[in-house]
Amino acid sequence: MDPVALAARGESVWHRLGLAALGVGWVEHGQVARRTRPATPVFLGALSLRAGVPAARLAQAVEGLGTGLAVRDAGGSEDLRGHGFVLQVEEPWMLRPPAPFPPAPTRPGLVVAPCRTPAEVELFERTSVEAFTGSADSWARGSIHPPEASLRIPGLTLLLARLHGQPVGTAIAATDGTVLNVGGVAVVAPARHQGIGTHLTLACLATAPTIPAVLSSSEDGHPLYRSLGFADVGPSTLWWQPPSRAS
Protein backbone atom coordinates (compact mmCIF):
# COMPACT_ATOMS: atom_id res chain seq x y z
CA MET A 1 0.00 0.00 0.00
CA ASP A 2 1.12 3.56 -0.68
CA PRO A 3 2.80 4.84 2.53
CA VAL A 4 0.69 8.01 2.70
CA ALA A 5 -2.51 6.03 2.20
CA LEU A 6 -1.37 3.61 4.93
CA ALA A 7 -0.69 6.48 7.33
CA ALA A 8 -4.08 8.03 6.59
CA ARG A 9 -5.70 4.65 7.13
CA GLY A 10 -4.07 4.43 10.55
CA GLU A 11 -5.46 7.82 11.53
CA SER A 12 -8.85 6.75 10.23
CA VAL A 13 -8.71 3.63 12.42
CA TRP A 14 -7.97 5.77 15.49
CA HIS A 15 -10.91 8.04 14.73
CA ARG A 16 -13.29 5.14 14.20
CA LEU A 17 -12.33 3.55 17.52
CA GLY A 18 -12.10 6.76 19.53
CA LEU A 19 -15.40 8.10 18.28
CA ALA A 20 -17.11 4.74 18.81
CA ALA A 21 -16.53 5.19 22.55
CA LEU A 22 -18.45 8.48 22.29
CA GLY A 23 -21.26 6.85 20.33
CA VAL A 24 -20.35 8.82 17.20
CA GLY A 25 -19.94 7.18 13.81
CA TRP A 26 -16.90 7.46 11.54
CA VAL A 27 -17.40 6.34 7.97
CA GLU A 28 -15.07 5.88 5.01
CA HIS A 29 -16.61 6.71 1.66
CA GLY A 30 -14.37 6.55 -1.37
CA GLN A 31 -11.41 8.84 -0.86
CA VAL A 32 -12.62 10.55 2.33
CA ALA A 33 -13.48 9.51 5.90
CA ARG A 34 -15.72 11.64 8.10
CA ARG A 35 -17.58 11.62 11.37
CA THR A 36 -21.34 11.39 11.18
CA ARG A 37 -22.31 14.09 13.64
CA PRO A 38 -20.83 16.89 15.77
CA ALA A 39 -18.37 15.89 18.49
CA THR A 40 -15.47 17.31 20.44
CA PRO A 41 -13.02 19.14 18.14
CA VAL A 42 -10.27 16.85 19.41
CA PHE A 43 -11.46 14.55 16.62
CA LEU A 44 -11.23 15.54 12.98
CA GLY A 45 -14.36 16.34 11.07
CA ALA A 46 -12.94 14.62 7.99
CA LEU A 47 -9.76 13.12 6.58
CA SER A 48 -8.67 12.43 3.01
CA LEU A 49 -7.52 8.83 2.67
CA ARG A 50 -4.84 9.46 0.06
CA ALA A 51 -2.90 12.35 -1.41
CA GLY A 52 -4.54 14.44 -4.10
CA VAL A 53 -8.15 14.46 -2.89
CA PRO A 54 -9.56 17.84 -4.04
CA ALA A 55 -10.11 20.55 -1.44
CA ALA A 56 -13.77 20.83 -2.43
CA ARG A 57 -14.33 17.13 -1.71
CA LEU A 58 -12.78 17.41 1.74
CA ALA A 59 -14.79 20.54 2.57
CA GLN A 60 -17.99 18.91 1.32
CA ALA A 61 -17.44 15.99 3.69
CA VAL A 62 -18.02 18.15 6.77
CA GLU A 63 -21.19 19.86 5.57
CA GLY A 64 -23.82 19.57 8.28
CA LEU A 65 -21.29 19.05 11.09
CA GLY A 66 -21.27 22.71 12.12
CA THR A 67 -18.09 24.72 12.51
CA GLY A 68 -15.22 24.77 14.97
CA LEU A 69 -13.70 21.63 13.49
CA ALA A 70 -10.55 20.46 11.73
CA VAL A 71 -9.90 18.40 8.61
CA ARG A 72 -6.66 16.79 7.48
CA ASP A 73 -5.42 16.83 3.90
CA ALA A 74 -3.44 13.59 3.65
CA GLY A 75 -1.31 14.89 0.80
CA GLY A 76 -0.58 18.30 2.24
CA SER A 77 -1.08 19.96 -1.15
CA GLU A 78 -4.68 21.22 -1.18
CA ASP A 79 -5.72 24.78 -0.33
CA LEU A 80 -8.93 24.98 1.70
CA ARG A 81 -8.89 28.74 2.29
CA GLY A 82 -11.58 29.23 -0.31
CA HIS A 83 -13.87 26.94 1.69
CA GLY A 84 -13.73 28.84 4.97
CA PHE A 85 -10.73 27.07 6.50
CA VAL A 86 -7.43 28.43 7.82
CA LEU A 87 -4.17 26.51 7.82
CA GLN A 88 -3.50 25.26 11.35
CA VAL A 89 -0.30 23.26 11.05
CA GLU A 90 1.80 21.15 8.69
CA GLU A 91 2.66 17.71 10.03
CA PRO A 92 4.62 14.95 8.30
CA TRP A 93 3.28 11.44 8.13
CA MET A 94 5.73 8.95 9.58
CA LEU A 95 5.92 5.20 9.12
CA ARG A 96 7.80 2.51 11.03
CA PRO A 97 7.93 -0.97 9.43
CA PRO A 98 7.56 -3.91 11.78
CA ALA A 99 10.99 -4.47 13.30
CA PRO A 100 12.55 -5.03 16.71
CA PHE A 101 12.84 -1.89 18.77
CA PRO A 102 15.34 -1.04 21.47
CA PRO A 103 14.43 -1.45 25.11
CA ALA A 104 13.36 1.74 26.82
CA PRO A 105 16.11 3.40 28.85
CA THR A 106 15.86 2.85 32.57
CA ARG A 107 13.91 5.56 34.38
CA PRO A 108 13.54 4.87 38.12
CA GLY A 109 10.01 5.40 39.36
CA LEU A 110 8.40 5.44 35.89
CA VAL A 111 5.58 3.01 35.07
CA VAL A 112 3.70 3.00 31.74
CA ALA A 113 0.65 0.75 31.61
CA PRO A 114 -2.68 0.41 29.78
CA CYS A 115 -5.75 1.75 31.52
CA ARG A 116 -7.76 -1.14 32.93
CA THR A 117 -10.44 0.59 35.02
CA PRO A 118 -12.81 3.54 34.51
CA ALA A 119 -10.92 5.48 37.18
CA GLU A 120 -7.68 5.04 35.23
CA VAL A 121 -9.34 6.24 32.01
CA GLU A 122 -10.61 9.29 33.86
CA LEU A 123 -7.09 10.01 35.10
CA PHE A 124 -5.75 9.44 31.58
CA GLU A 125 -8.18 11.96 30.11
CA ARG A 126 -7.40 14.61 32.73
CA THR A 127 -3.65 14.12 32.30
CA SER A 128 -3.93 14.30 28.50
CA VAL A 129 -5.84 17.59 28.64
CA GLU A 130 -3.27 19.05 31.02
CA ALA A 131 -0.33 17.84 28.91
CA PHE A 132 -1.73 19.25 25.66
CA THR A 133 -3.16 22.54 26.94
CA GLY A 134 -1.01 23.30 30.00
CA SER A 135 -3.95 23.12 32.38
CA ALA A 136 -6.75 20.78 33.39
CA ASP A 137 -9.17 23.69 33.88
CA SER A 138 -10.98 22.93 30.62
CA TRP A 139 -11.31 19.22 31.36
CA ALA A 140 -14.83 17.78 31.36
CA ARG A 141 -15.04 14.15 32.46
CA GLY A 142 -15.84 11.79 29.61
CA SER A 143 -16.05 14.47 26.92
CA ILE A 144 -13.17 12.88 24.97
CA HIS A 145 -12.68 9.42 26.48
CA PRO A 146 -15.79 8.12 28.26
CA PRO A 147 -14.35 5.93 31.02
CA GLU A 148 -16.54 2.85 30.75
CA ALA A 149 -17.06 2.87 26.98
CA SER A 150 -13.38 3.42 26.16
CA LEU A 151 -12.49 0.15 27.87
CA ARG A 152 -14.93 -1.80 25.67
CA ILE A 153 -13.47 -0.82 22.27
CA PRO A 154 -11.35 -3.64 20.76
CA GLY A 155 -8.08 -2.35 19.33
CA LEU A 156 -8.03 0.83 21.43
CA THR A 157 -5.38 1.06 24.17
CA LEU A 158 -5.02 4.12 26.40
CA LEU A 159 -1.58 4.24 28.02
CA LEU A 160 -0.90 6.21 31.18
CA ALA A 161 2.58 7.06 32.48
CA ARG A 162 3.12 7.54 36.20
CA LEU A 163 6.32 8.84 37.76
CA HIS A 164 6.67 7.95 41.44
CA GLY A 165 2.92 7.33 41.42
CA GLN A 166 1.94 10.66 39.87
CA PRO A 167 0.35 10.79 36.38
CA VAL A 168 2.72 12.51 33.96
CA GLY A 169 1.91 11.42 30.40
CA THR A 170 -0.39 9.68 27.97
CA ALA A 171 -0.40 7.90 24.61
CA ILE A 172 -2.98 6.10 22.47
CA ALA A 173 -2.46 2.94 20.43
CA ALA A 174 -5.22 2.14 17.92
CA THR A 175 -5.19 -0.80 15.54
CA ASP A 176 -7.42 -2.81 13.23
CA GLY A 177 -4.88 -5.63 13.06
CA THR A 178 -3.21 -4.39 9.86
CA VAL A 179 -1.82 -0.99 10.92
CA LEU A 180 -1.05 0.60 14.29
CA ASN A 181 -1.70 4.29 14.82
CA VAL A 182 0.38 5.98 17.53
CA GLY A 183 -1.23 9.15 18.82
CA GLY A 184 -1.88 11.40 21.77
CA VAL A 185 1.71 11.18 23.03
CA ALA A 186 1.97 13.98 25.57
CA VAL A 187 3.81 14.72 28.82
CA VAL A 188 2.90 17.33 31.40
CA ALA A 189 5.28 20.28 31.43
CA PRO A 190 7.12 19.60 34.73
CA ALA A 191 8.01 16.04 33.61
CA ARG A 192 9.30 16.75 30.10
CA HIS A 193 12.81 15.99 28.84
CA GLN A 194 13.12 12.92 31.04
CA GLY A 195 12.54 10.22 28.40
CA ILE A 196 8.88 9.71 29.25
CA GLY A 197 7.74 10.30 25.66
CA THR A 198 10.14 7.57 24.54
CA HIS A 199 8.67 5.12 27.05
CA LEU A 200 5.12 5.99 25.97
CA THR A 201 5.88 5.55 22.28
CA LEU A 202 7.62 2.23 22.85
CA ALA A 203 4.66 1.06 24.92
CA CYS A 204 2.40 1.87 21.96
CA LEU A 205 4.63 -0.12 19.59
CA ALA A 206 4.61 -3.06 21.99
CA THR A 207 0.83 -3.40 21.64
CA ALA A 208 1.20 -4.54 17.99
CA PRO A 209 4.88 -5.20 17.21
CA THR A 210 4.33 -7.27 14.05
CA ILE A 211 2.50 -4.67 11.93
CA PRO A 212 3.51 -1.26 10.55
CA ALA A 213 3.10 1.73 12.84
CA VAL A 214 2.13 5.20 11.62
CA LEU A 215 1.62 8.67 13.05
CA SER A 216 1.38 12.35 12.17
CA SER A 217 4.22 14.12 13.91
CA SER A 218 4.42 17.45 15.65
CA GLU A 219 7.61 19.46 15.24
CA ASP A 220 8.57 18.79 18.85
CA GLY A 221 8.02 15.05 18.59
CA HIS A 222 9.78 14.54 15.27
CA PRO A 223 13.33 13.87 16.59
CA LEU A 224 11.96 11.35 19.11
CA TYR A 225 10.06 9.37 16.49
CA ARG A 226 13.01 9.33 14.11
CA SER A 227 15.20 7.95 16.89
CA LEU A 228 12.75 5.05 17.28
CA GLY A 229 12.79 4.06 13.62
CA PHE A 230 9.98 6.15 12.13
CA ALA A 231 10.68 7.82 8.78
CA ASP A 232 8.89 10.61 6.95
CA VAL A 233 6.73 9.38 4.07
CA GLY A 234 4.96 12.57 3.05
CA PRO A 235 3.41 15.83 4.23
CA SER A 236 -0.04 16.42 5.64
CA THR A 237 -1.83 19.61 6.57
CA LEU A 238 -4.37 20.30 9.27
CA TRP A 239 -7.02 22.88 8.40
CA TRP A 240 -9.32 24.57 10.92
CA GLN A 241 -12.80 25.90 10.24
CA PRO A 242 -13.40 28.56 12.92
CA PRO A 243 -16.72 28.59 14.78
CA SER A 244 -19.30 30.74 13.08
CA ARG A 245 -20.56 33.77 14.97
CA ALA A 246 -23.98 32.15 15.11
CA SER A 247 -22.58 29.02 16.81
Side-chain angles (χ1 to χ4, degrees), residues 154-231:
L156 180 65
T157 304
L158 306 181
L159 292 150
L160 179 64
R162 289 183 171 95
L163 185 60
H164 302 299
Q166 298 301 310
V168 291
T170 60
I172 301 169
T175 183
D176 63 352
T178 64
V179 63
L180 170 69
N181 190 81
V182 176
V185 180
V187 178
V188 298
R192 290 174 188 164
H193 310 297
Q194 300 183 52
I196 295 171
T198 297
H199 281 261
L200 284 162
T201 304
L202 289 172
C204 284
L205 294 174
T207 66
T210 62
I211 59 177
V214 296
L215 55 83
S216 56
S217 175
S218 66
E219 184 177 354
D220 289 343
H222 196 256
L224 163 63
Y225 300 131
R226 285 186 62 86
S227 74
L228 296 178
F230 285 87

Side-chain angles (χ1 to χ4, degrees), residues 36-204:
T36 58
R37 62 182 176 86
T40 168
V42 167
F43 292 96
L44 296 174
L47 163 72
S48 53
L49 295 172
R50 65 166 181 81
V53 175
R57 177 69 184 89
L58 195 53
Q60 182 185 36
V62 296
E63 291 179 358
L65 294 181
T67 54
L69 54 77
V71 302
R72 187 183 298 278
D73 169 27
S77 61
E78 301 300 310
D79 189 343
L80 278 79
R81 288 176 293 182
H83 301 277
F85 289 82
V86 295
L87 181 61
Q88 188 172 16
V89 68
E90 299 177 356
E91 295 179 328
W93 292 119
M94 302 190 80
L95 167 66
R96 186 185 191 279
F101 44 85
T106 302
R107 180 65 175 88
L110 179 66
V111 176
V112 177
C115 296
R116 301 295 188 194
T117 68
E120 289 177 340
V121 176
E122 185 174 333
L123 187 58
F124 169 97
E125 185 182 51
R126 187 184 191 283
T127 304
S128 179
V129 169
E130 180 182 352
F132 274 108
T133 69
S135 169
D137 292 347
S138 63
W139 173 57
R141 181 185 183 275
S143 60
I144 306 170
H145 304 287
E148 293 80 9
S150 295
L151 294 170
R152 296 195 296 266
I153 304 298
L156 180 65
T157 304
L158 306 181
L159 292 150
L160 179 64
R162 289 183 171 95
L163 185 60
H164 302 299
Q166 298 301 310
V168 291
T170 60
I172 301 169
T175 183
D176 63 352
T178 64
V179 63
L180 170 69
N181 190 81
V182 176
V185 180
V187 178
V188 298
R192 290 174 188 164
H193 310 297
Q194 300 183 52
I196 295 171
T198 297
H199 281 261
L200 284 162
T201 304
L202 289 172
C204 284

